[in-house]
Amino acid sequence: MRKALNVRVRLAPSPTGTLHIGTARTALFNWLFACHEEGKFLIRIEDTDRERSKNEYTDNILQGLEWLGLTWDHPPVIQSTRIENHRSAIRFLLEKGLAYRCYATDEELEEMRTLQKSRGQAPRYDNRHRNLSPKQEQAFKGEGRSSVVRFKIDDESNISWNDLVRGHMTWNGVDLGGDMVLSRRAPNDEIGEPLYNLVVVVDDADMDITHVIRGEDHIANTAKQILLYKALGLNIPSFAHTPLILNSEGRKLSKRDGVTSISDFKSMGYTPKAMTNYMALLGWSPPDGMSETFSIKEAAQAFSFKRVNKAGAKFDWDKLNWLNAQILHSWTPKELLSAIQPLWEQEGWQIIDNDWGHALAELIGPSMTLLNDGVDQARPFFETPKIEKDAKKQLDNEGAILGIKTLLNQLEKTPWDGLNFEHAKELISKCSEICGVKKGIIMKSLRATLLGKMKGPDLMTTWGLLARVGKDTTRMARCI
Ligand code: GLU
C-alpha cells in the first residue's frame, strides 16, 4: 500500500572532496527515510564553487554511495546547469523589493566589522544599503562599484519550524547576521554567481523535495532558507537536522582525525554492510528487541526520526571493527573467497581451484576483522615465510629435526595429496613410533616449518592446503 505523501528527499553533496563519512551518514538517513516511506531518494551535485569542484570528486561520491548500496532514483541533478533558474529567482526578489543591490566595498565592510569587534559586538552586516535612493545608486555605479544582491532580513522576524529530530525550533531574525548576500559581486547591473542558501531553496523546490535531512551544522541556514521559501512563495519542506559525528575528544570529526573518507574505509577492508550498519547506529537507535546488526533494508523498515538522537555521536572504531568482524564471520566460504580473491590477485597470488580457495577462506575467516586481514593471513599459503624466533626455538628442541626428517622420509614413500586427513594423522603416528619422538613435538615442529611461526590456524588444514600445492615438503626440507 502506498503512503499518503510522496516523500522526496535528496543528498546535496559539494564535489570539493571525497565522500566524507558525515555526508555518507546523511545520505544513509535520507535513504532509510525514503525507503521507509516508499519515497524517492535524489542526488544533487552542488558544484557551483567552480574552483574547488572537481569531476573526480563527483565520481568518488557517486561510487562511494553505490558501494554502500545507497542507490538513487533519478540521474543526479547538476546544480551548475540550473544557474538561470537561480538568477531568475534573484530577479524576482529584486522586483518585489525583497532584495536589493549593495555596493559596499570589501574595505568598507572590513571597517564595519573592525568597529563592531572593538565594541564587543557580533559581526553582522548593518544593512547600510537597504534603502538607497536611485540617486545614491547612480553615484555608486558612477564610481564603477560592483554590487552583490542582498535579501532583506527583518530583525524583528521570528522563524520557527518543527524539526523532525530536534522538535520545535525557533530563530530570531536579528541573529542571522543582517541582510543576506544572495549572489556574488558583479559589475553594472548583472547578477553575480548565486550563493548557497538561494540556490538550495530554488533547487529543492524545483525538485519537489518534501523533507530536507542534513547535518545540524545547517540549522542557521534553515532559518534563512525558510525566509527565502516564504519570499519566493514556495512550499516549505519539513526539516530534520541530524547530530554531528564527533571524534574521541567530542569535537566534530574532521580530516585531521585520520580516515574519514568512504573510499579509505573501503580500501582498509571494511565491508559496505558494516559501514552502513555502523553509520545507522551513529545517531539512530533501533527499536527495542531489534538486533544491533542489520541490513539497510531491515533498518529502513524500522527507521523513524523519533529514534534519532539530538546529541552528537562519538565515532567508535572498536564498535565498527566488531561489526565488520561479525559480518565477515557470518559469510560462507564462497562469499568470503569472492571478496578476498581480488585482493590476492592484486598480490599476484593465484588459487589452484575453487575448493582450495574456499578451504583457505574458511580457515582464515574466523580470525579476520578487516577484509584486508585476509591478505596477511593468507600470505604463508602463497609465499614462503621466514622462520621466526619462536619457530627456531621449537626446532631446537630435542627430537624436533629428527621428527621432521622422519616425516619427510615417510612422505617420500607414501606421499600425501592434502585431502585425506586420516592418512596424514596416521603418518604422524607412524613417524612418532619410528623415531621415538612424541607426536606433540612432531606436530609443533611441523607448524614451525610450514608457517615459520608457532601461532596460526588449524595445523592439519594448513598442512593439507600446502600439501595440495606441493609446498609442505619443501618447507620441511629447508629446516633440516
Ligand atoms: N552542499 C551542501 C553541503 O554539502 C548541502 C547542504 C544541504 O543539504 O542543504 O553541505
Side-chain angles (χ1 to χ4, degrees):
M1 211 174 46
R2 279 207 71 79
K3 307 267 164 118
L5 177 68
N6 287 328
V7 163
R8 288 167 69 87
V9 298
R10 68 4 175 224
L11 180 77
S14 307
T16 52
T18 51
L19 178 61
H20 184 272
I21 183 157
T23 311
R25 205 271 316 255
T26 301
L28 175 64
F29 281 13
N30 272 279
W31 191 96
L32 292 176
F33 183 67
C35 192
H36 184 86
E37 298 292 327
E38 296 170 34
K40 299 274 185 247
F41 171 55
L42 311 178
I43 303 227
R44 182 173 66 239
I45 300 293
E46 303 214 316
D47 61 341
T48 44
D49 182 344
R50 300 309 286 166
E51 258 164 49
R52 291 173 58 226
S53 297
K54 292 207 168 86
N55 286 341
E56 68 202 65
Y57 292 139
T58 300
D59 294 346
N60 176 283
I61 291 167
L62 296 179
Q63 280 160 11
L65 292 172
E66 214 170 351
W67 178 72
L68 291 168
L70 306 179
T71 45
W72 47 95
D73 288 301
H74 293 296
V77 170
I78 307 297
Q79 190 161 61
S80 56
T81 62
R82 298 185 28 81
I83 192 155
E84 275 321 307
N85 301 57
H86 307 144
R87 289 214 166 101
S88 67
I90 296 176
R91 268 182 227 115
F92 173 86
L93 294 172
L94 281 169
E95 279 158 21
K96 287 262 171 193
L98 298 170
Y100 62 91
R101 290 183 180 280
C102 164
Y103 296 87
T105 62
D106 287 342
E107 294 73 36
E108 287 168 350
L109 293 174
E110 195 46 50
E111 215 172 280
M112 174 190 79
R113 280 190 209 108
T114 315
L115 194 67
Q116 285 164 345
K117 213 170 163 190
S118 71
R119 290 182 185 151
Q121 297 165 338
R124 74 192 305 271
Y125 173 63
D126 59 7
N127 301 347
R128 58 179 62 185
H129 284 186
R130 191 193 267 202
N131 295 310
L132 291 180
S133 66
K135 217 169 146 192
Q136 286 170 307
E137 284 212 34
Q138 265 334 104
F140 283 134
K141 274 191 253 181
E143 284 175 34
R145 290 192 185 205
S146 55
S147 63
V148 300
V149 175
R150 283 188 187 266
F151 175 67
K152 293 180 186 170
I153 295 183
D154 185 357
D155 275 355
E156 310 305 311
S157 61
N158 184 277
I159 307 124
S160 62
W161 72 94
N162 194 12
D163 197 284
L164 295 173
V165 174
R166 315 177 74 84
H168 183 70
M169 299 287 289
T170 162
W171 271 77
N172 292 323
V174 70
D175 295 326
L176 291 175
D179 291 344
M180 156 178 45
V181 181
L182 297 181
S183 58
R184 283 193 210 282
R185 244 173 233 300
N188 309 319
D189 272 347
E190 282 167 33
I191 293 174
E193 191 188 311
L195 294 177
Y196 167 73
N197 281 306
L198 182 278
V199 298
V200 162
V201 168
V202 172
D203 290 350
D204 281 342
D206 281 352
M207 288 166 74
D208 291 326
I209 297 304
T210 57
H211 296 74
V212 171
I213 303 162
R214 58 187 171 198
E216 67 171 46
D217 43 341
H218 283 289
I219 288 178
N221 287 330
T222 296
K224 292 178 186 170
Q225 290 172 20
I226 287 176
L227 291 175
L228 284 169
Y229 277 105
K230 288 186 179 158
L232 291 163
L234 301 169
N235 286 337
I236 303 174
S238 298
F239 291 95
H241 290 94
T242 54
L244 297 181
I245 304 179
L246 308 175
N247 65 14
S248 53
E249 277 120 50
R251 282 196 292 271
K252 186 178 169 186
L253 193 75
S254 76
K255 277 194 187 139
R256 267 166 285 134
D257 295 302
V259 180
T260 49
S261 113
I262 294 298
S263 37
D264 291 342
F265 284 101
K266 181 183 176 193
S267 52
M268 282 170 79
Y270 290 96
T271 59
K273 191 170 173 206
M275 290 307 295
T276 47
N277 192 152
Y278 182 64
M279 290 192 299
L281 293 173
L282 277 175
W284 177 68
S285 18
D288 297 342
M290 181 172 164
S291 155
E292 267 205 317
T293 51
F294 42 73
S295 67
I296 43 174
K297 284 269 159 64
E298 287 159 347
Q301 258 173 16
F303 188 78
S304 99
F305 282 110
K306 289 202 184 80
R307 299 190 67 87
V308 173
N309 296 329
K310 291 192 197 95
K314 255 193 195 170
F315 192 87
D316 177 354
W317 284 99
D318 291 340
K319 181 89 185 241
L320 173 61
N321 288 339
W322 179 81
L323 274 169
N324 206 59
Q326 296 298 304
I327 287 159
L328 295 184
H329 299 170
S330 75
W331 283 358
T332 62
K334 199 171 162 196
E335 287 169 322
L336 206 49
L337 179 64
S338 65
I340 328 177
Q341 202 178 348
L343 304 178
W344 290 346
E345 279 165 5
Q346 275 171 25
E347 301 288 320
W349 300 341
Q350 298 298 335
I351 58 173
I352 51 160
D353 57 34
N354 280 342
D355 283 348
W356 190 85
H358 291 150
L360 177 54
E362 191 174 13
L363 179 70
I364 61 177
S367 48
M368 282 167 57
T369 297
L370 300 177
L371 216 42
N372 295 24
D373 294 340
V375 173
D376 282 341
Q377 294 180 17
R379 191 174 298 280
F381 293 86
F382 295 100
E383 293 173 1
T384 311
K386 284 201 325 269
I387 305 291
E388 288 177 16
K389 251 194 194 157
D390 58 346
K392 271 197 189 116
K393 209 167 151 212
Q394 170 61 32
L395 294 171
D396 283 343
N397 281 329
E398 205 185 321
I401 298 297
L402 177 61
I404 296 295
K405 275 186 179 161
T406 317
L407 189 54
L408 270 173
N409 273 336
Q410 285 305 305
L411 280 167
E412 240 172 68
K413 285 185 210 149
T414 52
W416 184 38
D417 62 4
L419 290 175
N420 180 350
F421 282 33
E422 284 313 308
H423 174 71
K425 280 181 200 156
E426 276 164 25
L427 264 175
I428 291 190
S429 300
K430 201 164 174 196
C431 285
S432 171
E433 268 168 40
I434 295 172
C435 64
V437 177
K438 280 193 187 138
K439 269 204 288 191
I441 297 207
I442 300 183
M443 284 167 75
K444 278 191 187 154
S445 310
L446 176 62
R447 177 184 289 284
T449 64
L450 296 179
L451 293 177
K453 58 182 180 189
M454 298 315 294
K455 285 211 181 93
D458 176 68
L459 177 66
M460 293 311 277
T461 317
T462 301
W463 184 18
L465 284 165
L466 289 168
R468 287 190 53 204
V469 290
K471 287 189 167 148
D472 59 336
T473 44
T474 45
R475 289 191 192 177
M476 288 181 222
R478 74 177 172 148
C479 295
I480 58 176

